[in-house]
Amino acid sequence: MEKLTERQQQILDFIREVQEANGAPPTRLEICAAFGFASPNAAEAHLKALAKKGALSLEAGSSRGIRLAEALGLPVVGRVAAGSPILSEGTVDRHVRVDPAMFEPRADFLLRVRGLSMIEAGIFEGDLLAVHRTADVRDGQIIVARVDDEVTVKRLRRAKGRIELLPENRSMKPIVIDPERQSLTIEGLVVGLIRDDFAF
């Protein structure tokens, strides 16, 4: 899902709250009333923008024809190509029917683990990590990071003006980031794990 504007996120949160409370999404008029829009056309424009960004889909001919993308489950991100967004059409292998709200904070996607760098944290090859998309992370947390064009899962440590990505495998060395020579993007916070055989 593409990054949402603040207002788009507010509308998506409202749709989710109404859906959870009433078992059905709001109408365009209810969205207008909640946000003070002058006409249903304004609500429709926001809904179309949300649909274009992949946050929901719209069903024609129904006043409540709004389907949240998470109803499909969480997207599983497979191998991420160098330079591509971590969550894009080409990276999604499939969806797993799991409620994003079972994680705290809520998960935005699942990332398939490749490699053995986190085995001492109980994270094994083939596991699905639930990831909350955020750049706001603290030292000691397990994160998904992009270093230059490589995506990795490591524990974060900031120390003495440098950043270290720590493996949970005594046979492997930390990745030390030199901000002047390397690009680091924090893609999200790991909030849970699903063993793949459990997911089916």
Side-chain angles (χ1 to χ4, degrees), residues 36-37 81 173:
F37 297 147
K173 294 181 179 179

Side-chain angles (χ1 to χ4, degrees), residues 3 108 131-139 141 143-145 156 158 184-189:
K3 185 175 178 60
D108 294 303
V131 182
H132 172 67
R133 179 178 277 180
T134 181
D136 184 16
V137 295
R138 300 189 306 273
D139 279 7
Q141 292 182 314
I143 64 166
V144 176
L156 175 69
R158 296 182 180 101
L184 173 69
T185 303
I186 296 172
E187 299 278 2
L189 172 67

